[in-house]
Amino acid sequence: MDKWKENHPRTKPFTSIANQRLNGWQLNHVKTTTPCFSWRQIARRKFLTKGFQVLLVAALLLTVVINVLFILDTTRKLRLERNGSSEETPSFGSKQKDKGHKTLVVEVLSSQSKVSVSVDGTTILEDSESNKGRGIHVLVLNQATGSVMAQRVFDTYSPHEDEAMALFLNMVSDRRILVFTIKDEGTFQMKQQARDLLKRLGSVKAGMIGWRDMWAMVTQKGGKLFGEDYSKSPEFNTWGAPVILRADVTLVTVEESECNWPETVQNRRRRSFCSRIEGYGSVCRCHDPAPIVFNPEPIVNSVVSDVPIAIIASNRPHYLYRMLQSLLSTQGANADMVTVFIDGYFDEPLEVTKLFGLRGIQHTPIGQKNARISQHYKASLTATFNLFPDAKYAIVIEEDLDVSVDFLSFFNQTLSLLEEDDIYCISSWNDQGYEHTSEDPSLLYRVETMPGLGWILKRSLYKRELEPRWPTPEKMWDWDMWMRLPDVRQNRECIVPDVSQIGRAHV
């Protein structure tokens, strides 16, 4: 330490903080310089903090206002929906034209390989599949909601399809919106009667549509023409240019579209059906509509009034409608014993069933083609005997049959024959019952076959013999051909009438 020397002789000696406080110059420096610098920094920070707080409060207030407006708007919409107000947002986002009336924009395409229909930008029909859908496509829209009520394709290149189209259009209620469009070719077999009908519906082009011409029309039955367009084929081997038709369709209010039927249980079913489904003629007529409730004459000392009736149905609702009309009006019919079994989840057959106040059961299809039909029969018979556990018999009818007025009377008189050991079934159909060979309604035959169609069988036969051995889904067998096999029929016979009590419908 004796040899230590100051490296920097000019450096000022170290002075402690305590000594600095005694130094007047240093004290004045602390008082004047340091407090001024701290005040500016704090002021700036306070200003920024207050500004941020103001912005935060403004954002919170804006969020509250937005949420309140959203709640009020949602409440208003829910109230309108609940009250059925005419201010409710219409189907397909239609625009308001005037108070209580809205407008739909309908666009229709007609071309060689594709047809399509869109409503307010929503496609409701499109068919571009090759080698299918040829002819005139027809859509029926509800005049109050714009919803699709029916859709059909008529291959008017082929014979008699124009007659089917005319029949369908005549069955549509007045004031409905009709949309027409041609795919490929639609006039080769369209006769003058069909063209005249299109003219009465408002068409000005129906008389000139020819071979491979393209055509589209939007009109109202019994009302105005909303739009029509047409493109002529320039040569025999070519098609007309595609037609794109755009039409503004003015809707009416729901109240204007509904009929003023008396308020009954039956008419509530009718109103529900007729607001969604079309093409059933007088059942939806405002004045004197076709009945949907029948009060047939009972059968004296009936033994079939408590026999369940299974209707085997698929997706042929017009056949089903006609069959149910004839069945429910026949003598001795009991609607409580009728069940319609639908092979698949099709809406229209179920709506037809509900229209008549009947029980309808849908199930998932099993198998393909013949096997699918066979499994449908099995499922329907099994369900029938499960629904009616005390029933000793069951009547089976297909959806495309018409029954005579004494259909059930025939079974009532012959039911006791099923108790004979050598009787397999009783059928109301005679395979050989031609007009020139059959005339005696009191004559019966025993036949070594199983006619099917409208027939009755015993519960014991089905449960003990048929159900356990019924063909499985992978076997492409016809159920009735299987029932005719010798090892299944076992030399038993069926009873049939000379004059058939049932027949195929032609719709």
Side-chain angles (χ1 to χ4, degrees):
M1 294 297 292
D2 295 337
K3 296 181 180 181
W4 180 85
K5 293 181 179 180
E6 184 179 5
N7 290 330
H8 302 283
R10 296 181 180 180
T11 302
K12 293 180 179 180
F14 173 77
T15 305
S16 67
I17 294 176
N19 291 334
Q20 288 179 15
R21 290 176 180 173
L22 296 176
N23 188 309
W25 181 88
Q26 184 67 28
L27 185 62
N28 291 336
H29 176 75
V30 171
K31 288 181 179 179
T32 57
T33 305
T34 304
C36 179
F37 174 79
S38 300
W39 179 84
R40 290 176 182 176
Q41 187 177 33
I42 292 171
R44 186 181 300 110
R45 288 180 179 177
K46 286 183 177 180
F47 176 77
L48 293 175
T49 301
K50 288 184 178 180
F52 177 76
Q53 290 174 345
V54 170
L55 291 176
L56 181 61
V57 171
L60 290 174
L61 289 175
L62 181 62
T63 303
V64 170
V65 171
I66 292 174
N67 281 294
V68 170
L69 291 175
F70 175 77
I71 293 171
L72 292 175
D73 184 63
T74 303
T75 303
R76 182 184 65 83
K77 289 182 178 180
L78 290 174
R79 187 181 299 113
L80 290 176
E81 291 179 0
R82 184 168 57 252
N83 296 335
S85 171
S86 61
E87 296 179 2
E88 182 182 3
T89 303
S91 301
F92 304 110
S94 57
K95 58 185 179 182
Q96 192 87 16
K97 185 176 181 181
D98 50 43
K99 186 176 180 180
H101 293 80
K102 305 174 181 68
T103 299
L104 300 178
V105 178
V106 180
E107 294 186 356
V108 189
L109 168 66
S110 170
S111 68
Q112 173 195 353
S113 59
K114 180 180 179 180
V115 292
S116 66
V117 178
S118 65
V119 176
D120 285 346
T122 300
T123 300
I124 58 175
L125 167 67
E126 183 173 88
D127 183 356
S128 57
E129 191 171 356
S130 60
N131 300 319
K132 288 187 178 181
R134 177 181 62 189
I136 300 179
H137 292 245
V138 182
L139 280 178
V140 182
L141 308 182
N142 187 294
Q143 70 269 36
T145 65
S147 60
V148 179
M149 304 185 73
Q151 177 181 338
R152 300 287 188 276
V153 183
F154 300 97
D155 183 12
T156 42
Y157 177 87
S158 304
H160 306 300
E161 284 289 297
D162 61 331
E163 300 169 8
M165 181 179 71
L167 177 61
F168 170 74
L169 293 174
N170 286 328
M171 298 285 279
V172 173
S173 302
D174 288 341
R175 318 305 295 177
R176 300 300 191 200
I177 308 302
L178 299 174
V179 182
F180 298 85
T181 179
I182 287 180
K183 179 182 179 183
D184 190 5
E185 211 296 305
T187 63
F188 185 62
Q189 292 287 348
M190 189 163 68
K191 297 183 285 294
Q192 190 61 42
Q193 292 88 335
R195 295 177 184 269
D196 291 341
L197 175 58
L198 294 177
K199 290 179 182 178
R200 292 195 295 273
L201 292 172
S203 174
V204 296
K205 308 287 187 182
M208 64 180 70
I209 307 171
W211 171 257
R212 290 183 175 176
D213 293 345
M214 299 296 107
W215 171 71
M217 181 174 74
V218 181
T219 188
Q220 185 174 39
K221 185 175 181 181
K224 64 174 292 187
L225 174 68
F226 294 109
E228 185 178 20
D229 203 356
Y230 158 78
S231 173
K232 185 171 180 58
S233 169
E235 298 178 357
F236 181 80
N237 293 327
T238 59
W239 286 262
V243 165
I244 301 177
L245 171 66
R246 184 184 185 277
D248 293 335
V249 176
T250 303
L251 301 180
V252 301
T253 62
V254 174
E255 292 77 11
E256 291 175 306
S257 69
E258 291 183 343
C259 295
N260 190 25
W261 294 312
E263 190 62 29
T264 63
V265 174
Q266 294 82 8
N267 282 335
R268 281 197 290 270
R269 297 202 308 263
R270 187 194 304 273
R271 186 173 288 109
S272 174
F273 178 83
C274 295
S275 66
R276 291 179 287 177
I277 308 295
E278 253 303 344
Y280 290 82
S282 59
V283 72
C284 294
R285 190 167 53 201
C286 289
H287 303 287
D288 192 26
I292 56 176
V293 175
F294 306 88
N295 297 296
E297 180 183 350
I299 298 174
V300 179
N301 299 323
S302 175
V303 295
V304 295
S305 60
D306 59 350
V307 173
I309 301 176
I311 310 298
I312 309 300
S314 56
N315 191 25
R316 296 187 290 179
H318 282 79
Y319 285 99
L320 178 63
Y321 171 81
R322 176 169 168 168
M323 195 281 298
L324 291 177
Q325 271 191 321
S326 65
L327 174 64
L328 296 175
S329 59
T330 192
Q331 183 186 16
N334 181 1
D336 293 335
M337 303 303 293
V338 178
T339 306
V340 179
F341 295 95
I342 303 169
D343 186 30
Y345 296 94
F346 302 108
D347 292 334
E348 194 166 332
L350 186 60
E351 291 298 325
V352 170
T353 303
K354 293 178 180 179
L355 173 66
F356 290 102
L358 301 177
R359 183 187 305 106
I361 297 178
Q362 298 171 299
H363 66 84
T364 303
I366 302 174
Q368 300 291 329
K369 298 181 179 180
N370 295 6
R372 173 175 172 173
I373 298 174
S374 176
Q375 295 306 307
H376 181 32
Y377 262 88
K378 180 185 179 182
S380 302
L381 287 171
T382 299
T384 297
F385 287 119
N386 289 341
L387 286 170
F388 301 93
D390 297 328
K392 296 176 60 179
Y393 314 96
I395 296 173
V396 185
I397 313 175
E398 296 178 8
E399 66 186 346
D400 61 341
L401 299 174
D402 280 341
V403 304
S404 67
V405 294
D406 50 359
F407 171 75
L408 293 174
S409 178
F410 167 75
F411 286 129
N412 188 68
Q413 297 175 65
T414 58
L415 186 62
S416 60
L417 298 177
L418 271 181
E419 299 304 323
E420 301 292 332
D421 293 338
D422 59 344
I423 299 300
Y424 194 39
C425 72
I426 299 174
S427 174
S428 61
W429 171 256
N430 182 0
D431 285 321
Q432 309 301 324
Y434 302 104
E435 290 185 7
H436 65 281
T437 61
S438 302
E439 59 182 9
D440 189 350
S442 64
L443 180 60
L444 301 176
Y445 298 100
R446 295 170 66 116
V447 295
E448 296 176 335
T449 184
M450 193 277 168
L453 300 183
W455 56 292
I456 189 170
L457 80 162
K458 293 177 66 175
R459 178 192 191 95
S460 57
L461 171 68
Y462 179 72
K463 287 296 184 180
R464 295 174 187 173
E465 300 182 37
L466 301 181
E467 187 179 39
R469 299 180 58 192
W470 201 273
T472 50
E474 70 275 6
K475 295 180 179 178
M476 306 295 288
W477 293 359
D478 290 320
W479 67 272
D480 50 348
M481 297 299 292
W482 172 77
M483 286 189 65
R484 293 167 187 161
L485 294 176
D487 64 322
V488 178
R489 188 171 62 84
Q490 297 179 8
N491 293 322
R492 289 170 290 193
E493 298 172 335
C494 286
I495 303 294
V496 301
D498 183 47
V499 179
S500 294
Q501 304 297 311
I502 203 164
R504 291 285 186 188
H506 299 281
V507 177

